[in-house]
């Protein structure tokens, strides 16, 4: 089999002729950006052939100039019978191990919402016991003596043991004169003993909280006796190569072995994160006996290997919303195999446990008077409105634009992403800054908001998002009906590639912002309220360092309200999962929330389409909704 | 690798030089009798080399004549670099698939003890449900709708689902318009749903009852809605090659990988039996969702992969007596993987669940006045005495003599076993009958009891079990201190092998009968009673067709009481396991019994040794204990 060498990464792999280079990269454990799932549509898996012959179809996506330089789509380029050397340094994201920066969102939220020490009560607790030695007279088995010792310390109720625990009991009881630590899950009327160790390990109880996002996974390793966060890590979801949004994942799951591949990929990501997060504090993965997972309904279905098809089909009924506790070894998460996994309960097919989880980071659900709004901006936008009296929720398909999907130069909020852009009102030329202050690789969600807002404020685009055809700028290139705006020209970029946004891209971003704004507006309308009646607006989502509120209002993503009413809470889902990990009361709160929320289905709501069409302008067709923006636009 | 051909079985196998022929047989999946576990001690794995060179050590066990004919010990014969043809037709048992005949012991017991239809209540029940179709408005997941349907039919309590079930829910609900059958385990406060099928399968609920004996395993396949026994099968325990009694198995478990091998072997036997028992009624193994296992404490430890070492060491403390319900896939039993296995609770290291189970076939534990005795005669003898007020139990090591172990010509109660022998008072020559009326292969337990009794009654042996040196018979051969009695001379046996019992063998049988009788006597003495005070004596054990009561009294195995006080109940453990399979009340009865019994440890009881020494005579040193036998001996 020919050898494929990935030049800049110093990796190589043998693969049979006929396979494409996306597969070869996967085999070499290299993640190429491939949001369309290898369909040759998105153009993201662009790589350069340095040496060797290939059979490639460029499908008209790549310019002739690029083809001459050796650029091909990895997914549409098949290996022949000879070795190939590939350069993937031009891949816009993910190629060299750069990850979205994980900010500790716990700093963003009000610490009054965090569990108090009196509430610390994890799923599995550790209990130190001194078990008396066996005696001929008492007729007790090892298990009987152990049960008696547990009953001496705790309320007398049934004690169950896993087979693996039973297998260790005899020798462990005899290792350190009966000094043992049992790991137990307390249930109603029952203690489940899932592990036994010799000696006193009652202070060594660890847990992990996981947020499974469509694009990014994040994890916290926690020491449970004091609920201390030992480490936080995040990584791309390995499923990205199977499609960028939940609908394309559901489609992928329909392929033969598709569901199994998606499950393997998300498990690989989770287990890699667990492995890595344990390295720093040098914790043995098998010592982790607690685990909470928050994620949207589709992500949870894929993680558990459940057919997600019915999520997509009317009447949009998922298999599970409230998942029973499941054993780690059954789910495939590599911690103590007998540990129970708690999955944060969801509300509906498109409002999952990530939202139930994230709400714990706010006072939206508990405030007796104030009505607040919660917006989680991601590939799907989820919205919650209410207070302690009522809770309404809905979801809208924003599309992956804010995460860089569907935009040629788009990327996640990772180092190299342009996240702020200023436009010179006269020349129309851009100045920008990137995350990490490194060479620009692409543009992320906050960058696109910034770009759109400033193009609008400087009059280079109109309220429909179209470039002003009467003004000329070096940065704008007209091509029949489409127009392109160049943020970084190829000649000014070390890698030789320009970073450009088209009118079509702008339309995608406007669709995303319109979907979210109109969903919020509809929800308020349904309860006879306006944005002004809201006490607070919580914004969750992976915007990297921040979301630029002012610019978000300028493009009409967020309502035109004073800045102090907004609070950005970052990855609230992960912080909520952490709360559930350490506190039984917070697990119960999530359960209550999931049942209190009334779900409004927008897919079948005709009024939603009216609202959406109204929001497909900058900032909105109804100018009175955005008075401060209108004011600025009139002044330009 | 040289090819080893097993002539009569038409099987062959390649094995590397240096391996012995016992291993070659195992590789060819042929079970050779090998009670000493391949130590070259028992002489049971005798086979004949027909062709080819081998490296063999006969250790003085095989006669020179037999060596000339090509006989070798399989365990001490290594393969060289050339092909070998082996004849194993002379193996005394197990070689050609002959199994101990399994009599349906259910016929032997009083049917009043069997569960009544009103008591039918298996571990897992099947419930037919009509689940409404998904609706957009109700916000319910598939699992929510299923749970609601269950609550409409049954008491409202928590419903739990296994992950495998959850994976099948969505498609199953949509296959037959919501008509589904769930398999559920009802627990306190909880229903565990372990399977879901489309359509109505509520009448197709199957279960298996398994008796795991040291020597033999037996199984019943049961249709649970009507508790009908569909088939009964038995087979040798594949562990036999690792040692014949529990102590040698425990020793084997101490070897590297020994425990794992023992577990695999008993699981292989169980799974083979399940496969075979399902063939007749054409039941899919995966449709079996109920399983009860009864066995002695060591067998249960080995089945579960628990280190049995502490059973053998003072203070004889087992890991488990009352095992929690365990999942079939964890245990390794190949039925529906999510099924729960119920293991009949035991009393002590040497009084296991087989005894708790067997007692259900008697009225010993329920009779308000009468005190009765229960004796299970096997490799270990277990004894229970009591009534509804008290229960005492003990165990003694009878040794494998009654099952053919430790006796050169001994074998199990299988076709070809001599099970009755008459002795001509004048000539001392034997006439006999075999199980199945086929060519004699060896002698089984009932045959040995018959032989000893008749040799004693005809005066050919004295009360110490020694041959009368002053009388001459063609059947008796004196060799220094030892004497041999030939039942079947080589020249009269087609296979050319004689069937002979030595004075040393007789001593083994006497040890076995003395162990059992003296244990019974000691128990009675401890409560200030004699055998005459017993209302009934129940005898359980695998004696094949019957145990000859009269002859058992003659040798002093059983007390000298009128025949009508005895009742032979066969494999009571298996019948008790069947009762537990169909009735929750009977499972509870077993649990209560296991906790009611007071265990008397004989290993550390000095009085037991006195009783034992007294019983090492035919019938006993105390002649008054056996008046009817004494009468017959004096008349001879």
């Amino acid at each position: 089999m020919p050898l494929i060498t990935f030049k800049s990464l110093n990796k190589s792999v043998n693969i049979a002729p006929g396979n494409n280079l996306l597969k070869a990269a996967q085999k070499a454990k290299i993640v190429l950006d491939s949001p369309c799932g290898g369909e040759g549509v998105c153009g993201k898996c662009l790589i350069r052939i340095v040496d060797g012959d290939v059979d490639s179809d460029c499908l008209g996506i790549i310019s002739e100039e690029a083809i001459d330089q050796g650029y091909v789509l990895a997914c549409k380029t098949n290996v022949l019978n000879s070795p190939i050397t590939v350069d993937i340094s031009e891949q816009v994201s993910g190629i060299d191990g750069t990850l979205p920066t994980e900010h500790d969102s716990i700093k963003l939220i009000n610490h009054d919402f965090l569990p108090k020490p009196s509430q610390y009560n994890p799923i599995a607790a550790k209990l130190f016991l001194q078990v008396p030695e066996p005696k001929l007279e008492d007729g007790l088995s090892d298990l009987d003596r152990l049960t008696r010792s547990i009953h001496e310390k705790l309320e007398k109720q049934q004690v169950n043991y896993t087979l693996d625990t039973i297998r260790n009991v005899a020798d462990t009881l005899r290792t350190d004169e009966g000094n043992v630590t049992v790991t137990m899950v307390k249930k109603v009327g029952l203690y489940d003993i899932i592990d036994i160790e010799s000696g006193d390990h009652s202070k060594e109880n660890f847990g992990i909280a996981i947020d499974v996002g469509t694009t990014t996974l994040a994890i916290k390793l926690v020491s449970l006796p004091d609920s201390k966060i030992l480490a936080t890590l995040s990584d791309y979801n390995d499923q990205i190569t199977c499609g960028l949004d939940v609908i394309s994942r559901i489609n992928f799951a329909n392929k033969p072995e598709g569901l199994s591949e998606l499950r393997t990929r998300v498990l690989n990501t989770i287990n890699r994160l667990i492995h890595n997060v344990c390295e720093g504090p040098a914790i043995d993965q098998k010592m982790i006996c607690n685990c909470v997972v928050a994620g949207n309904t589709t992500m949870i279905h894929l993680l558990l290997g459940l057919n997600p098809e019915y999520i997509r089909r009317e009447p949009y009924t998922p298999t599970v919303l409230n998942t029973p506790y499941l054993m780690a070894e059954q789910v495939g998460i590599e911690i103590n195999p007998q540990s129970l996994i708690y999955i944060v309960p969801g509300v509906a097919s498109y409002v999952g446990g990530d939202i139930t989880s994230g709400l714990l980071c706010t006072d939206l659900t508990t405030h007796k008077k104030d009505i607040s709004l919660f917006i989680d901006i991601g590939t799907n936008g989820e919205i919650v409105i209410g207070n302690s009296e009522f809770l309404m929720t809905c979801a809208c398909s924003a599309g992956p634009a804010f995460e860089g999907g569907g935009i040629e130069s788009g990327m996640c909020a990772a180092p190299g992403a342009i996240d702020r852009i200023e436009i010179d009102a006269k020349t129309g030329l851009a100045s920008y800054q990137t995350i990490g202050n490194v060479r620009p690789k692409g543009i992320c969600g906050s960058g696109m908001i910034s770009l759109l807002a400033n193009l609008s404020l400087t009059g280079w685009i109109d309220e429909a998002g179209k470039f002003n055809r009467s003004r000329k700028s070096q940065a704008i290139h007209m091509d029949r009906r489409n127009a392109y705006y160049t943020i970084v020209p190829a000649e000014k970029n070390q890698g030789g590639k320009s970073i450009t946004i088209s009118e079509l891209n702008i339309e995608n971003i406007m669709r995303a912002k319109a979907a979210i704004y109109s969903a919020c507006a509809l929800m308020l309308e349904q309860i006879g309220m306006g944005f002004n009646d809201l006490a607070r607006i919580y914004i969750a989502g992976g915007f990297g360092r921040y979301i630029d509120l002012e610019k978000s209002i300028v493009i009409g993503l967020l309502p035109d309200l004073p800045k102090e009413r907004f609070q950005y809470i970052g990855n609230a889902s992960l912080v909520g999962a952490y709360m559930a990990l350490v506190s039984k009361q917070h697990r119960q709160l999530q359960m209550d929330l999931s049942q209190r929320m009334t779900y409004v289905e927008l897919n079948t709501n005709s009024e939603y389409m009216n609202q959406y069409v109204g929001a497909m302008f900058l900032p909105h067709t109804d100018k009175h909704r955005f008075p401060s923006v209108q004011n600025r636009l009139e002044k330009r």
Side-chain angles (χ1 to χ4, degrees), chain A residues 149-342:
Chain A
S149 297
I150 292 168
H151 283 160
E152 276 166 20
K153 285 223 172 182
L154 301 175
E155 199 189 337
K156 211 166 177 176
Q157 55 177 23
Q158 201 190 321
V159 184
N160 238 340
Y161 297 87
T162 60
L163 183 52
D164 281 345
T165 308
I166 299 174
R167 286 187 180 138
N168 289 325
V169 160
D171 292 330
T172 310
L173 281 182
R174 289 163 180 85
T175 301
D176 183 16
E177 298 179 329
N179 291 325
V180 297
T181 305
V182 290
T183 306
M184 55 162 38
V185 177
K186 293 185 200 178
K187 297 179 179 171
V188 180
L190 184 72
Y191 304 119
D192 257 334
I193 309 299
I194 62 169
D195 201 8
I196 182 166
E197 304 157 274
S198 69
D200 184 357
H201 299 274
S202 53
K203 299 283 174 247
E204 297 159 19
N205 193 13
F206 300 97
I208 46 167
I210 310 174
D211 170 55
V212 182
T214 311
T215 304
T216 308
L217 272 80
I219 185 174
K220 284 184 186 295
L221 174 66
V222 180
S223 164
L224 289 167
D226 52 1
S227 297
K228 193 179 161 193
I229 296 168
L230 302 179
T232 302
L233 267 187
S234 68
D235 199 347
Y236 285 111
N237 187 336
D238 281 5
Q239 289 177 345
I240 291 178
T241 50
C242 308
L244 205 61
D245 57 17
V246 294
I247 296 299
S248 51
R249 302 275 169 88
I250 293 174
N251 289 341
F252 192 94
N254 244 334
K255 296 185 187 183
E257 298 304 313
L259 176 56
S260 154
E261 179 171 346
L262 286 164
R263 179 165 175 252
T264 305
R265 283 179 174 275
V266 71
L267 279 173
N268 285 349
T269 315
I270 289 175
N271 292 327
R272 186 169 67 238
L273 276 169
I274 294 174
H275 177 84
N276 292 342
V277 86
C278 286
E279 271 191 343
I283 306 287
D284 179 357
Q285 288 180 224
K286 302 289 167 221
M287 285 167 69
I288 301 173
C289 295
N290 286 271
C291 177
V292 169
V293 180
N296 68 52
T297 307
T298 302
M299 285 304 113
I300 297 302
H301 276 61
L302 298 180
L303 171 63
L304 300 180
L306 309 179
N307 179 0
E309 179 63 18
Y310 305 105
I311 290 179
R312 193 188 52 165
R313 281 205 223 154
E314 221 182 315
Y316 317 109
T317 305
T319 301
V320 283
L321 289 169
N322 178 6
T323 317
Y325 284 83
L326 296 169
M327 270 215 289
E329 70 178 344
Q330 288 184 314
V331 178
I333 295 181
E334 292 169 359
I335 55 174
N336 181 310
Q338 313 289 313
S339 308
L340 292 187
I341 310 287
Y342 168 78

Side-chain angles (χ1 to χ4, degrees), chain A residues 406-410 443 448 451-452 455 461 465-467 469 475-477 479 481-487 499-510:
Chain A
I407 313 283
E408 289 82 357
S409 297
I443 177 166
M448 284 184 270
L451 174 68
L452 236 67
L455 284 174
I461 54 174
K466 300 291 173 196
F467 283 95
R469 257 79 180 154
I476 299 167
H477 166 70
D479 178 8
R481 291 197 175 177
N482 206 349
Y484 297 86
Y485 182 83
T486 301
I487 306 160
I499 296 174
T500 296
I501 291 289
S502 71
E503 268 180 357
L504 285 174
N505 296 158
I506 291 175
E507 202 177 304
N508 277 344
I509 300 165
M510 284 174 68

